[in-house]
Amino acid sequence: MTIKTNAKLRVDKWLWHARFFKTRSLAAARVQAGTVRINGDITQKRASTISPGDVLTFAQGDHIRVIQIDALGTRRGPAPEAQALYTDLSPPEPRSKDKPPENPAFEGKGRPTKRDRRQLDLSKSRHLE
């Protein structure tokens, strides 16, 4: 599952193995853009090597990730295997108070309920009389 501790691996390949990016080319593009730091130093080379004990800092979405490498993987395996490759040192994401609730209450939009539909039918029939 893991390579010896004195071995090294390309940073884009490790980010892909650890499932931070869906494809290796996305990981390589992020490294080449200069948004990945290895032990605090900005790197723009996809072939920069990393080893266990190194700390990676990069942005993922609107969250800054700080990751300590525990092991180097030999393949892109399932999620539990990928999560064993690193320790997440980044602070937890703060909850946003500006975020709307996931399921807002019915505000007269969308499909009416059965009760609303009956009231609508009654009002229409009264209007016709």
Side-chain angles (χ1 to χ4, degrees):
M1 266 197 231
T2 59
I3 299 175
K4 299 175 187 173
T5 57
N6 60 357
K8 294 185 180 257
L9 187 67
R10 290 172 58 122
V11 66
D12 63 335
K13 197 169 186 179
W14 188 87
L15 287 168
W16 177 64
H17 281 204
R19 294 185 164 265
F20 286 108
F21 297 99
K22 192 171 184 176
T23 63
R24 187 170 167 193
S25 60
L26 286 174
R30 185 63 61 96
V31 173
Q32 193 171 14
T35 60
V36 177
R37 293 175 181 249
I38 301 174
N39 295 328
D41 299 326
I42 296 174
T43 183
Q44 292 184 337
K45 292 183 179 180
R46 299 176 290 202
S48 298
T49 56
I50 55 171
S51 59
D54 288 346
V55 176
L56 296 179
T57 307
F58 58 94
Q60 190 173 29
D62 58 347
H63 187 61
I64 302 296
R65 303 292 303 258
V66 180
I67 305 296
Q68 180 181 0
I69 300 171
D70 294 335
L72 303 175
T74 56
R75 67 184 185 116
R76 180 180 165 94
E81 185 179 316
Q83 290 170 351
L85 299 177
Y86 63 90
T87 304
D88 194 359
L89 303 175
S90 55
E93 269 188 72
R95 292 205 166 233
S96 176
K97 294 180 181 179
D98 299 335
K99 207 177 213 182
E102 291 186 21
N103 190 8
F106 177 73
E107 298 175 357
K109 300 176 184 172
R111 187 173 179 171
T113 62
K114 189 172 186 178
R115 182 175 180 222
D116 294 336
R117 183 68 184 180
R118 285 181 181 159
Q119 289 176 350
L120 185 63
D121 288 343
L122 283 174
S123 68
K124 284 184 180 178
S125 65
R126 287 183 190 146
H127 179 32
L128 294 175
E129 292 177 352

